[in-house]
Amino acid sequence: MASPTDDPTFDELLDYVENSLHFQTSSYNEAYLDRRISARMRRCRTDDYEEYHSILRDDDDEQQALLDALSVNVTSFFRNPKVWEALREVLRDLSSKGSRRDPIKVWSAACSDGREAYSLAMLAHDDDRVDERRIEIVGTDIKREILRAARKGEYRASETNDVSEQLEPIGRWERFVERDGDIFRVKDSITDMVRFDRRDLIREDPPGTFDLVVCRNLFIYINTESKRAVFETLGSALKPDGYLTIGMTETIPPTCRQQFDPVEKRLRIYRANDETAQR
């Protein structure tokens, strides 16, 4: 198969996906798009972009399968446990400030199926130094379907999705999640702390201002221009001295670095500084 950068039929395919299927391909890395599209092409037994383009036009099921593949959400409860122990300290610090009536507002941006937002709620409940009654969590994602799953708060274990193992970092996880065979349901005490909304991080304003913004493992998929736009959105959402956490393999774009001071640089936890507040 030709390199996508050398094949105009690949660009035509991307145009179709963006304009007809309404998936914003222009915000994503070309290599990522090609990997996802090529996987679907193999399922359709073709190695030709033009032929696959023709299949897409005539097959509604394949259109949906491709959209699902392009927007695949890789997530888990308490992903990278060391990060969550550091976030425990962040919640403690936020809890020690302000009056007991002041809410602590947390944004789980690109929240996928809700496990990150629910992990934040469990962490607050688990710590005696954090008043979970003050914690208000908003989870956002661009996919309506994945948000419906997040609101349901129900997760199925499988060979590739060991939910009980994901929950181990919080200890006695049965306090927060009920198990019924292979089904794990987040309890009301946790789901009541979280609301979910649809949000386009590139094109829309943030859903408020926050003490802590968590946006992990999104930037590895999107291109440089979109990454800058998202960081501008996240920065504008932070209160003075608010915290930002990104994925452990991700970096802040050079044009945005002056807005954030490292708190735990290795774990990618930062704090907004005066440069952020002035924007």
Side-chain angles (χ1 to χ4, degrees):
M1 185 183 295
S3 167
T5 57
D6 300 328
D7 192 338
T9 61
F10 181 72
D11 292 332
E12 292 169 6
L13 174 59
L14 294 187
D15 287 342
Y16 173 79
V17 173
E18 177 141 353
N19 297 320
S20 297
L21 304 186
H22 309 294
F23 181 86
Q24 196 174 338
T25 58
S26 56
S27 295
Y28 287 78
N29 291 323
E30 191 174 76
Y32 167 76
L33 294 170
D34 188 42
R35 286 196 303 272
R36 297 297 182 187
I37 291 171
S38 295
R40 290 307 313 166
M41 289 170 65
R42 289 192 292 272
R43 292 290 187 95
C44 295
R45 301 183 183 278
T46 180
D47 61 359
D48 184 87
Y49 294 122
E50 190 171 10
E51 182 179 355
Y52 183 64
H53 191 168
S54 179
I55 292 170
L56 271 184
R57 283 195 295 262
D58 299 331
D59 190 334
D60 291 345
D61 289 341
E62 181 56 30
Q63 290 175 13
Q64 188 58 54
L66 177 62
L67 290 175
D68 289 343
L70 289 174
S71 54
V72 64
N73 298 87
V74 180
T75 187
S76 70
F77 290 106
F78 300 102
R79 187 175 182 179
N80 305 121
K82 290 183 179 179
V83 174
W84 288 94
E85 283 306 305
L87 286 175
R88 182 189 294 275
E89 294 299 326
V90 169
L91 290 179
R92 287 175 174 177
D93 178 63
L94 292 172
S95 295
S96 69
K97 298 175 179 177
S99 74
R100 294 182 178 180
R101 296 181 180 179
D102 291 338
I104 299 168
K105 296 189 176 183
V106 181
W107 181 18
S108 172
C111 69
S112 187
D113 65 7
R115 280 183 256 199
E116 180 179 86
Y118 291 138
S119 296
L120 286 160
M122 291 182 213
L123 193 65
H125 269 274
D126 184 62
D127 200 302
D128 291 339
R129 292 167 58 185
V130 177
D131 185 354
E132 72 276 2
R133 295 168 297 180
R134 293 176 59 198
I135 306 292
E136 298 178 3
I137 302 171
V138 178
T140 65
D141 202 275
I142 197 169
K143 283 186 65 181
R144 289 186 173 86
E145 180 182 353
I146 204 73
L147 288 171
R148 284 194 291 271
R151 293 185 184 101
K152 192 173 183 181
E154 186 173 292
Y155 306 93
R156 180 180 292 275
S158 67
E159 290 183 3
T160 58
N161 182 33
D162 189 336
V163 180
S164 61
E165 183 177 306
Q166 294 173 19
L167 290 165
E168 284 180 2
I170 202 64
R172 295 179 293 110
W173 53 263
E174 295 88 351
R175 295 170 291 164
F176 311 123
V177 180
E178 297 174 336
R179 181 173 186 174
D180 182 6
D182 290 336
I183 302 297
F184 293 74
R185 296 184 183 89
V186 181
K187 292 185 179 181
D188 290 348
S189 60
I190 300 301
T191 59
D192 288 349
M193 293 177 62
V194 185
R195 68 176 176 88
F196 293 99
D197 290 316
R198 184 184 179 279
R199 187 72 46 168
D200 183 334
L201 297 179
I202 296 171
R203 293 189 166 128
E204 296 180 306
D205 292 333
T209 55
F210 298 89
D211 301 285
L212 168 62
V213 175
V214 180
C215 187
R216 303 179 67 210
N217 307 304
L218 168 67
F219 303 107
I220 56 177
Y221 301 116
I222 61 178
N223 61 34
T224 301
E225 182 179 352
S226 297
K227 186 186 294 188
R228 283 197 298 267
V230 172
F231 266 99
E232 291 292 339
T233 300
L234 301 181
S236 68
L238 283 170
K239 295 180 180 179
D241 291 327
Y243 291 90
L244 171 68
T245 303
I246 61 176
M248 289 187 66
T249 62
E250 298 171 325
T251 57
I252 297 177
T255 55
C256 302
R257 286 176 188 164
Q258 73 277 7
Q259 301 177 46
F260 304 98
D261 296 325
V263 176
E264 290 281 356
K265 190 171 184 179
R266 183 177 60 86
L267 300 177
R268 303 298 194 266
I269 298 176
Y270 302 87
R271 181 179 281 155
N273 58 30
D274 292 341
E275 290 289 331
T276 308
Q278 292 169 10
R279 299 183 75 84

